[in-house]
Amino acid sequence: GGGAAAAAGVARDVDVHVGTLSKAFGSLGGFVACTTRMKQYLLTRGRAFVYSTALPVPVVAAAFAALQASLREPNIRERLWERVRQLGDALGRNLESPIVAVMVGDELTALQISQKLLRMGYHVPAIRPPTVPKGTSRLRIALSAAHTEQDVADLVRALQICGALEIAKQFKLKTRGEGSQAPGGALRVKPAARL
């Protein structure tokens, strides 16, 4: 819940923290947390920043309220990670995020399963090219602390009914021999030089 650096126990060693407000905070936009000196550098040298605008005040207020709620109610994170573990157990995977990809490979298959799930009451979008490489289309599950144990169990059953879990299993077997790395693998980043 505190980001990749916090999960790795290196948050204090990171010079620039970049995050989104559109996932856990349920808002939009993002943020950069850094020193005053780094902020000045980014403001004067960040070409993309030239055409950006500040977030609307209500958006900032909503994100701030979500941050306060997460600090005030740590059980929200605990509940979320219980659901992540539950889904991981059902999928036979060690999940490290509440956003879970179920690989299906074929774009049309991903779209068809997504539509079936939607008709069953589950919004599980198909992620396909050009967002991901051709042949690696997937279903994107986004868990939240609001989901119950029964919600996750019902979703797993819906994935089974739609054939998504069997297709994902076959996709894994097929790509295992091709030397491809599983999506979502860890990326090691070298620490930036301090300004």
Side-chain angles (χ1 to χ4, degrees):
V10 296
R12 291 183 177 269
D13 300 325
V14 175
D15 296 321
V16 179
H17 293 268
V18 179
T20 177
L21 300 174
S22 64
K23 302 276 190 283
F25 289 108
S27 188
L28 65 93
F31 66 90
V32 176
C34 57
T35 64
T36 302
R37 188 168 180 202
M38 177 61 83
K39 175 185 170 186
Q40 289 306 314
Y41 176 81
L42 293 173
L43 289 174
T44 58
R45 299 292 181 116
R47 293 178 63 197
F49 185 77
V50 172
Y51 298 106
S52 67
T53 58
L55 292 173
V57 173
V59 170
V60 174
F64 185 65
L67 174 61
Q68 288 178 316
S70 71
L71 294 172
R72 190 175 53 249
E73 302 174 47
N75 63 330
I76 292 173
R77 279 189 194 173
E78 292 167 15
R79 225 176 18 250
L80 172 60
W81 287 104
E82 286 171 9
R83 298 293 72 79
V84 171
R85 281 188 291 279
Q86 178 189 355
L87 181 60
D89 289 348
L91 297 177
R93 292 168 50 192
N94 182 23
L95 301 178
E96 297 178 0
S97 169
I99 299 172
V100 180
V102 176
M103 304 299 291
V104 295
D106 177 67
E107 184 176 345
L108 182 60
T109 302
L111 286 168
Q112 290 172 337
I113 294 173
S114 178
Q115 286 299 311
K116 286 179 187 176
L117 289 166
L118 188 59
R119 285 192 296 274
M120 296 170 78
Y122 299 95
H123 179 64
V124 180
I127 308 301
R128 52 205 167 90
T131 306
V132 296
K134 186 175 171 70
T136 66
S137 292
R138 61 204 71 186
L139 302 169
R140 182 180 181 270
I141 299 169
L143 295 175
S144 86
H147 289 117
T148 65
E149 190 173 341
Q150 189 62 52
D151 291 335
V152 174
D154 291 345
L155 171 63
V156 170
R157 181 72 184 129
L159 289 166
Q160 289 170 333
I161 290 169
C162 291
L165 299 184
E166 183 59 33
I167 292 168
K169 189 160 108 181
Q170 294 304 316
F171 179 86
K172 183 177 179 182
L173 291 172
K174 177 182 153 200
T175 58
R176 187 176 288 159
E178 297 174 8
S180 62
Q181 183 179 357
L187 174 66
R188 172 166 260 144
V189 180
K190 293 181 180 178
R194 293 190 186 271
L195 287 178

